[in-house]
Amino acid sequence: MAAGRPALIALTALAPVSWGTTYAVTTEFLPADRPLFTGLMRALPAGLLLLALARVLPRGAWWWRAAVLGALNIGAFFPLLFLSAYRLPGGMAAAVGSVGPLFVVGLSALLLGQRPTTRSVLTGVVAAFGVSLVVLRAAGALDTLGVLAALASTASMSAGIVLTKRWGRPDGVGPLALTGWQLTAGGLLIAPVALLAEGAPPALDGPAVGGYLYLALANTAVAYWLWFRGIGRLSATQVTFLGPLSPLTAAVVGWAALGQALTPLQLAGMALAFGATAAGQLAPRAAAAEPARSFGSASKNGRKDAMDLTGPALRR
């Protein structure tokens, strides 16, 4: 690995680790049965905050690109994920979601021209198997709609990762602005769905306000900024192999904070999943150089795709 790459991987890994705390925060502090409102409160305030900090809006093709990425990574992903979690037993939604690395390997071959390797496929299978050992519980018949929603949410996030890698970001625009665009677009997409499906916002007490502040700031604004920053500097497969850290963190938080037991089989699954996550970071030398090529700037292509609201671009 190049100098500084372990630190970059560790910082990017903080995103799925943070997402692993979502379940505990939601069940302990937030109103029950309001998943869409929770998704909205995570995405839109965080997106508007990052837009205010970056003070850069999309321009040209980046208006529709930001909308597409926001829909895939946030606007479609959140509702589908919550739908699957409510309709599937135990950790089945997380188990289905753990096939995300395999989705990304396939989409990277189609959209990025990166040929899948035997190691990446086997590592993805081991990661999914390890997560399944951690989260699955004995259950009855599976809900077909729930399974489809889980697969669709995984496919949505996987496509968002690969398209983020394919499109890069415009010249002069950092990951803070790109993250703000996507969170805002995704939040605006969720808002009417939440209003129609769940009605008016619920009354919030002190713990709920604190929980939403945590989800919007640390769990979403900071975490997604680290995530998209990592996508810009690592390969798509390296980033997606960090995803299993989310259900593993949820299991650890459940054990440490909620008194949930961990069986020897679950601990074995954790070891497998952690091993697969580490193996997924050992990209070949050629693949490690790929992010810099695919995350090109707009100026090299003769485009002006972003509008800076504070700098010289405002005077153009």
Side-chain angles (χ1 to χ4, degrees):
M1 292 184 184
R5 189 163 295 270
L8 173 62
I9 292 172
L11 286 173
T12 307
L14 291 177
V17 167
S18 172
W19 299 333
T21 66
T22 303
Y23 174 79
V25 172
T26 300
T27 56
E28 295 300 308
F29 301 111
L30 303 185
D33 300 325
R34 303 303 294 263
L36 292 176
F37 178 74
T38 297
L40 173 63
M41 292 299 290
R42 285 184 66 189
L44 191 55
L48 294 175
L49 173 63
L50 295 186
L51 284 182
L53 292 174
R55 293 193 287 181
V56 179
L57 292 177
R59 185 173 179 178
W62 273 98
W63 281 107
W64 68 264
R65 287 182 180 179
V68 169
L69 293 177
L72 290 172
N73 287 318
I74 308 295
F77 174 70
F78 279 3
L80 288 169
L81 180 66
F82 286 129
L83 176 62
S84 66
Y86 271 79
R87 298 187 69 97
L88 292 178
M92 178 60 70
V96 176
S98 67
V99 303
L102 297 176
F103 279 27
V104 169
V105 167
L107 289 171
S108 294
L110 290 174
L111 299 177
L112 303 180
Q114 297 175 355
R115 295 179 59 183
T117 64
T118 301
R119 189 185 73 183
S120 64
V121 174
L122 288 177
T123 303
V125 171
V126 171
F129 180 67
V131 170
S132 298
L133 292 180
V134 175
V135 301
L136 287 184
R137 303 287 189 276
L142 296 181
D143 182 270
T144 301
L145 179 59
V147 172
L148 292 176
L151 287 172
S153 68
T154 302
S156 180
M157 174 64 94
S158 300
I161 291 173
V162 175
L163 281 179
T164 301
K165 171 61 64 177
R166 178 181 175 88
W167 288 338
R169 60 178 183 262
D171 184 45
V173 173
L176 191 72
L178 183 64
T179 305
W181 298 350
Q182 295 185 56
L183 288 172
T184 302
L188 291 175
L189 183 63
I190 295 172
V193 180
L195 183 62
L196 291 174
E198 297 179 352
L204 303 179
D205 57 14
V209 171
Y212 282 126
L213 284 175
Y214 167 77
L215 290 182
L217 297 178
N219 187 267
T220 302
V222 174
Y224 272 96
W225 169 68
L226 290 172
W227 185 248
F228 291 123
R229 177 176 176 269
I231 292 176
R233 302 183 183 187
L234 301 170
S235 71
T237 50
Q238 281 180 298
V239 173
T240 194
F241 272 114
L242 296 174
L245 292 176
S246 181
L248 297 184
T249 301
V252 172
V253 170
W255 167 75
L258 304 180
Q260 298 172 355
L262 288 175
T263 66
L265 188 62
Q266 287 177 298
L267 294 175
M270 283 186 175
L272 284 175
F274 275 124
T277 296
Q281 307 312 308
L282 302 176
R285 185 179 301 273
E290 180 64 23
R293 293 196 300 270
S294 60
F295 234 68
S297 68
S299 62
K300 293 179 181 179
N301 299 315
R303 301 194 312 270
K304 296 178 181 178
D305 288 331
M307 181 171 62
D308 189 335
L309 298 184
T310 60
L314 184 61
R315 299 190 291 269
R316 284 201 289 262

